[in-house]
Amino acid sequence: MRKVMTDAELKLWNELRAHRLMGLGFRRQLPIAGCIVDFACPQKKLVVELDGSQHGDAELAAADTFRTKRLEQDGWTVLRFWNDDVIRDIENVCQHIVIVAGLGGTD
């Protein structure tokens, strides 16, 4: 667990915390299935992970794939966004989260 959030994590957390995003209740740094996920909405079994450029490394990407499969085995839906996407386009990131959570359309 990390106490200090990255800029991208802080930006997204400011959108998610206190049920700000369509009433969804997210928790930060939640342990699930032996992993500590960046953000999770237990009510919707939805995990949001933010990845920096180091996640482009083949070894780390393989570990991310393993984590995702492990969480999906327990019924969680895992969304991954690049830090840059959050910094540059937080509105579309949030819209995608809402759609996957089943609370929004694609109009």
Side-chain angles (χ1 to χ4, degrees):
M1 283 180 79
R2 292 178 293 107
K3 290 185 180 188
V4 179
M5 287 189 268
T6 65
D7 290 344
E9 288 171 334
L10 182 59
K11 187 167 188 163
L12 184 58
W13 183 235
N14 283 332
E15 298 294 322
L16 299 179
R17 69 186 181 95
H19 302 269
R20 289 180 179 169
L21 186 63
M22 300 289 292
L24 294 168
F26 277 89
R27 294 179 56 196
R28 189 174 86 76
Q29 297 275 297
L30 185 67
I32 304 171
C35 307
I36 297 176
V37 301
D38 292 334
F39 305 100
C41 177
Q43 173 190 10
K44 297 289 184 175
K45 289 199 87 162
L46 178 62
V47 167
V48 178
E49 293 276 85
L50 299 186
D51 297 333
S53 60
Q54 71 276 14
H55 288 263
D57 172 72
E59 192 173 310
L60 198 47
D64 289 342
T65 299
F66 176 81
R67 282 170 48 102
T68 296
K69 287 180 181 178
R70 175 65 185 94
L71 291 163
E72 288 173 343
Q73 286 175 346
D74 284 351
W76 291 85
T77 299
V78 179
L79 298 178
R80 289 189 171 277
F81 298 100
W82 292 105
N83 287 345
D84 193 57
D85 292 335
V86 172
I87 297 297
R88 294 178 186 264
D89 196 5
I90 189 70
E91 291 84 15
N92 276 328
V93 168
C94 288
Q95 181 181 18
H96 188 73
I97 293 168
V98 166
I99 290 167
V100 171
L103 299 177
T106 57
D107 41 291

